Amino acid sequence: MQLSELLANVPHRLVNGDAEITGIAYDSRAEIAVGDLFCCIVGTALDGHMYAEDAYRRGAAALLVERELPIAIPQAIVGNARIAMATVAAGFYGNPSRELKTVGVTGTNGKTSVTYMVKAIAERAGKKVGVIGTIKNTIGDEVLFTSSRTTPESVPLQATLRKMADAAVDIVVMEVSSSALDQYRTYGVEFDVAAFTNLTQDHLDYHKTFEHYRDSKKRLFYQCRHAVMNVDDANAEYMMADIPCAVTTTAICNEAGIMASDIELNSSGVQFTMHTAAGDTAISIPIPGLFTVKNAVVAAGIALELGFTPGIVREALANVGSIEGRLEPLPTGGRGFNVYLDFAHTPDALQNVLTTVSQFAEGRVIALFGCGGDKDKAKRAMMGEIAGRFSDFVVLTSDNPRTENPRDIIAMVEEGVRRTAVPYVVIESRREAIRYALQHGRSGDCIILAGKGHEDYQEINGVKHHFDEKEVVAELLLEI
């Protein structure tokens, strides 16, 4: 396509002529093909304009820039390169979201669980489903790719949606992160339904203030046809104010369009009555925890808006499997204690998983966790205090320290643990910390490995090392 054609809906100024564009690139570290439009993105640490000359030498046919550069190559000068790149990417790939039923889920916690519940419901109804999210990106059971980002950059996102549309996918369910919304990665995606799960402290390393974090989340509801809102969350009223779409509300504590009552919790799952305009439905889900109920009514709200019946919702949720890295039980070879893998890496998520397990633990609740480096430091002591309040024993260890000294991170978490009376140990090596927890597990104990969940790596000094806790637990149990 001609550059000028791709820019038809983008305010711009074109210099040095037009160009035939055969691809879009935005990362100079990746391969740049001859004929690519290289998008100069101004990031939090780097400015893509610095790499324009290199992209030109490697075959780029044109540049998308926010300021004219002294390079003899066609350049499209725009006000916001991220918005322009997303718009161009959508057009380049034929606006694939218009060919799909597209669902976006945002919130601090619960995004992955809600997307997998919606996937289960849609597949129960015979639909072909694509998922874009934290764990992996899939069409049905086919894994397209895994990503370190919850929501891909706009170019690979539009390419993935095009692949899904070409594969005759019916419904795409996507996790939409606050940073993705702030960086316009989903700009140009037309969402049929968007959902809000909850909002608690996280990502303040990026957003700086809770208000900016909240406002970034809200952007999703200006690009959808219908919203589903968890009105048990204190921020729901703000999220719903002045948005231009219809809204379905969900709750387990407040009045809402979709509600849960008669909730029963046990170690094997949850049971409750779901109330909708279509009547009452008995729901049983083989995933424990009150948060499962909260996630389920949001998923039901999405499903009903997509046209599925409460009966399909009931059948699908009764058979939904455990979600990878979300209170996922690991085999222990009949040793008498239980081990659970969970992605909880925020104060709210850690409290949720610990209180859930305490409801059915016959012995102690042992929390093994750390906090990630180069991320929100304010939540570290908070998480330490929560671990101390809601568990019987704490093993403080490393998570993904990234470029920080893991001992410094642990010390900040330890400040919170010390505010409680819980006994604890500090073992920096995560593998050795897991070994300690397994060696000291007693009959009936529940050991929670929190923070990493589905991740199969540990990032230390900026390098990712293979570290799959499922493998680690299996290996250590054999050694022990």
Side-chain angles (χ1 to χ4, degrees), residues 112 135-136 322-326 328 341 343 453-455 470:
T112 300
I135 298 177
K136 52 195 170 187
S322 63
I323 298 166
E324 187 176 357
R326 271 65 180 175
E328 181 181 2
L341 191 62
F343 191 49
H454 62 280
E455 293 178 350
K470 296 178 189 178

Side-chain angles (χ1 to χ4, degrees), residues 106-110 196-200 217 230 233 235 295 348:
T106 198
T108 306
N109 300 308
F196 168 71
T197 59
N198 51 64
L199 202 63
T200 59
K217 292 283 190 188
N230 166 28
D233 189 276
N235 296 282
N295 293 334
D348 183 62

Side-chain angles (χ1 to χ4, degrees), residues 291-337:
F291 57 83
T292 296
V293 183
K294 296 178 181 180
N295 293 334
V297 292
V298 173
I302 296 169
L304 295 177
E305 180 56 32
L306 291 172
F308 303 121
T309 65
I312 289 292
V313 173
R314 181 188 66 246
E315 293 171 12
L317 295 182
N319 293 283
V320 70
S322 63
I323 298 166
E324 187 176 357
R326 271 65 180 175
L327 202 56
E328 181 181 2
L330 302 186
T332 59
R335 284 171 171 77
F337 54 79

Side-chain angles (χ1 to χ4, degrees), residues 417-478:
V417 178
R418 285 176 174 168
R419 296 171 192 160
T420 73
V422 72
Y424 72 95
V425 295
V426 174
I427 303 173
E428 180 183 326
S429 164
R430 195 167 179 102
R431 184 183 183 90
E432 291 309 308
I434 295 172
R435 183 194 300 275
Y436 178 93
L438 297 177
Q439 285 177 329
H440 291 81
R442 305 171 189 163
S443 179
D445 285 353
C446 290
I447 301 169
I448 315 300
L449 310 181
K452 296 191 59 59
H454 62 280
E455 293 178 350
D456 61 359
Y457 64 87
Q458 189 173 27
E459 187 174 346
I460 303 171
N461 292 324
V463 178
K464 289 185 177 180
H465 304 268
H466 182 74
F467 192 88
D468 186 327
E469 294 195 337
K470 296 178 189 178
E471 297 174 4
V472 170
V473 169
E475 291 165 3
L476 291 175
L477 286 173
L478 285 176

Side-chain angles (χ1 to χ4, degrees), residues 39-66:
C39 303
C40 298
I41 302 301
V42 180
T44 54
L46 298 173
D47 184 347
H49 294 78
M50 298 168 54
Y51 305 97
E53 183 76 47
D54 179 55
Y56 170 55
R57 288 194 299 267
R58 292 164 63 186
L63 302 175
L64 183 71
V65 295
E66 294 183 358

Side-chain angles (χ1 to χ4, degrees), residues 30-317:
E31 182 177 348
I32 296 176
V34 174
D36 277 355
L37 170 66
F38 182 72
C39 303
C40 298
I41 302 301
V42 180
T44 54
L46 298 173
D47 184 347
H49 294 78
M50 298 168 54
Y51 305 97
E53 183 76 47
D54 179 55
Y56 170 55
R57 288 194 299 267
R58 292 164 63 186
L63 302 175
L64 183 71
V65 295
E66 294 183 358
R67 60 181 184 271
E68 186 174 350
L69 300 176
I71 305 173
I73 182 176
Q75 299 176 41
I77 305 167
V78 298
N80 186 311
R82 281 195 174 276
I83 292 176
M85 179 173 73
T87 305
V88 166
F92 183 82
Y93 288 104
N95 294 294
S97 64
R98 297 176 183 174
E99 303 170 35
L100 300 156
K101 283 286 187 183
T102 306
V103 176
V105 182
T106 198
T108 306
N109 300 308
K111 296 187 295 295
T112 300
S113 295
V114 170
T115 57
Y116 276 83
M117 287 179 178
V118 174
K119 176 179 186 288
I121 295 166
E123 289 181 337
R124 185 74 178 185
K127 301 298 183 181
K128 191 172 185 179
V129 183
V131 174
I132 298 173
T134 304
I135 298 177
K136 52 195 170 187
N137 299 272
T138 61
I139 295 177
D141 294 328
E142 176 194 357
V143 178
L144 302 180
F145 63 94
T146 57
S147 173
S148 59
R149 285 179 162 179
T150 296
T151 313
E153 186 56 85
S154 59
V155 177
L157 173 59
Q158 293 291 344
T160 301
L161 292 173
R162 168 46 54 199
K163 185 167 186 177
M164 290 178 172
D166 290 346
V169 164
D170 298 302
I171 296 170
V172 175
V173 193
M174 181 191 316
E175 296 181 51
V176 186
S177 68
S178 57
S179 57
L181 289 161
D182 186 57
Q183 296 171 8
Y184 300 99
R185 293 184 220 156
T186 60
Y187 194 90
V189 177
E190 298 181 11
F191 291 97
D192 293 278
V193 185
F196 168 71
T197 59
N198 51 64
L199 202 63
T200 59
Q201 181 172 326
D202 199 15
H203 303 301
L204 296 192
D205 55 300
Y206 175 86
H207 292 284
K208 308 307 179 188
T209 67
F210 183 82
E211 290 73 21
H212 186 262
Y213 177 43
R214 180 190 62 190
D215 291 347
S216 296
K217 292 283 190 188
K218 186 169 180 175
R219 286 185 182 183
L220 178 62
F221 302 100
Y222 290 97
Q223 61 183 102
C224 69
R225 296 185 179 91
H226 197 100
V228 176
M229 295 280 184
N230 166 28
V231 294
D232 282 336
D233 189 276
N235 296 282
E237 184 176 352
Y238 179 86
M239 301 299 284
M240 291 189 290
D242 302 319
I243 58 176
C245 58
V247 177
T248 295
T249 55
T250 71
I252 66 172
C253 298
N254 295 305
E255 289 292 321
I258 299 174
M259 296 184 293
S261 69
D262 305 318
I263 299 170
E264 297 180 16
L265 309 173
N266 54 58
S267 61
S268 59
V270 299
Q271 296 80 42
F272 61 94
T273 300
M274 181 176 72
H275 307 278
T276 72
D280 297 348
T281 307
I283 302 291
S284 178
I285 308 173
I287 302 173
L290 187 61
F291 57 83
T292 296
V293 183
K294 296 178 181 180
N295 293 334
V297 292
V298 173
I302 296 169
L304 295 177
E305 180 56 32
L306 291 172
F308 303 121
T309 65
I312 289 292
V313 173
R314 181 188 66 246
E315 293 171 12
L317 295 182

